[in-house]
Amino acid sequence: FTCDETKEFQLKKMNIKFQFKDWTLNIKKIEQDQLSLIEMEIKKDSNYKIIFIPTIEQNNEQFFKIKEFYFADEYIICRPYHMIGNQECFISISNIESFRRIQQIILRTMIYTDEKRVECPFCNHQLTQVKQEEEISSFYICPSCRTEIHQGFCSTEKKKYFYTRIANLPKNRVREEDYAKEDRWLYRQKAEGQMFYRNITKLTNDGEEICPHCKQVHRT
């Protein structure tokens, strides 16, 4: 993504637009109860909006107020350490892991807003559709970077979702018991790094995709 190089950029009053192909990414700062929030919205064939929230608890009254005042597809709590939950993301200006997390999030929003599936959102090469007997089992693959884009269906919540794979990537089980208690952050990092951070859903320790709706694994 690139932006207008002549546009003035202010962190305190951030509101800036980026462009990549037919995707538009807008990032702006909003205020709620003395909290500085970041709103990220991406547009292509549809819109997808995420609100980044500074470190608060998910059962905090402020968290529910934010969800009440600002509609979004996702609400992500940013934490400067590795203990992360379903709605939390490790964000630190001094750690490369933050770049990987943001890259994951942007990739996810690009996939959810793209209905045509012409260009690979990861490497910009042409996608190829792989048709199977069941329409929901059909998927798209990039011959260049081997990224696969699949559509799943949550039978519990009756909602569709998307997930990614890498073609011919062997799955290696990451065992939690192999890591000391104080190294749990490293176990999480290894488990999540099985797809080189190209996954757009959470993964189990053996690389299976976790449904974002019911938080279970749907075998495909």
Side-chain angles (χ1 to χ4, degrees):
F1 283 90
T2 58
C3 64
D4 182 357
E5 295 181 359
T6 63
K7 184 175 178 61
E8 183 179 356
F9 179 77
Q10 298 182 31
L11 286 175
K12 291 184 177 180
K13 297 180 180 180
M14 183 164 55
N15 190 351
I16 188 166
K17 182 180 293 185
F18 299 83
Q19 192 76 31
F20 174 70
K21 297 293 184 177
D22 293 331
W23 282 280
T24 300
L25 175 64
N26 193 78
I27 299 177
K28 68 179 181 180
K29 183 178 179 181
I30 53 180
E31 300 289 336
Q32 170 68 32
D33 290 344
Q34 298 182 334
L35 283 178
S36 294
L37 315 175
I38 299 295
E39 177 189 283
M40 184 179 80
E41 184 174 21
I42 195 165
K43 300 178 181 179
K44 189 175 183 283
D45 302 315
S46 59
N47 296 8
Y48 199 98
K49 185 183 293 185
I50 297 176
I51 301 292
F52 292 93
I53 307 169
T55 303
I56 60 174
E57 299 304 318
Q58 289 186 23
N59 59 356
N60 190 296
E61 184 179 346
Q62 284 181 305
F63 182 72
F64 295 110
K65 279 186 177 181
I66 291 168
K67 296 183 73 173
E68 180 181 349
F69 282 100
Y70 298 102
F71 168 79
D73 296 281
E74 289 186 52
Y75 302 86
I76 299 177
I77 297 173
C78 304
R79 299 197 184 279
Y81 46 84
H82 286 272
M83 297 301 290
I84 56 176
N86 290 324
Q87 289 182 292
E88 300 176 358
C89 185
F90 169 55
I91 299 293
S92 171
I93 197 172
S94 61
N95 197 304
I96 186 62
E97 291 298 304
S98 289
F99 171 80
R100 291 168 174 164
R101 305 299 181 205
I102 297 298
Q103 185 183 48
Q104 278 181 314
I105 292 168
I106 292 177
L107 179 62
R108 180 165 66 247
T109 60
M110 292 176 73
I111 288 174
Y112 270 82
T113 56
D114 181 21
E115 297 176 3
K116 299 180 178 67
R117 300 279 186 253
V118 175
E119 296 160 327
C120 174
F122 186 78
C123 75
N124 193 30
H125 284 78
Q126 295 293 302
L127 291 171
T128 300
Q129 185 177 17
V130 179
K131 294 185 177 181
Q132 298 180 338
E133 291 183 5
E134 298 181 16
E135 184 179 351
I136 198 169
S137 297
S138 300
F139 63 94
Y140 290 84
I141 185 172
C142 175
S144 179
C145 68
R146 299 185 296 131
T147 296
E148 295 180 358
I149 301 174
H150 295 256
Q151 178 180 316
F153 182 76
C154 176
S155 54
T156 303
E157 299 293 331
K158 309 300 181 185
K159 296 179 181 178
K160 72 175 183 179
Y161 64 97
F162 296 101
Y163 60 93
T164 52
R165 290 176 177 171
I166 299 177
N168 303 317
L169 180 71
K171 292 184 178 181
N172 299 312
R173 183 176 178 82
V174 181
R175 303 193 311 167
E176 186 175 359
E177 57 269 26
D178 290 342
Y179 295 83
K181 201 171 193 178
E182 60 270 20
D183 292 332
R184 181 171 172 77
W185 66 271
L186 183 58
Y187 155 72
R188 286 175 176 266
Q189 183 176 324
K190 292 289 186 181
E192 293 178 354
Q194 294 173 92
M195 272 188 57
F196 308 104
Y197 301 93
R198 226 183 291 177
N199 56 297
I200 62 170
T201 62
K202 299 288 186 181
L203 298 175
T204 64
N205 58 2
D206 54 357
E208 295 291 335
E209 301 86 10
I210 297 174
C211 171
H213 301 304
C214 69
K215 308 300 184 287
Q216 302 298 317
V217 173
H218 301 295
R219 301 294 177 182
T220 57

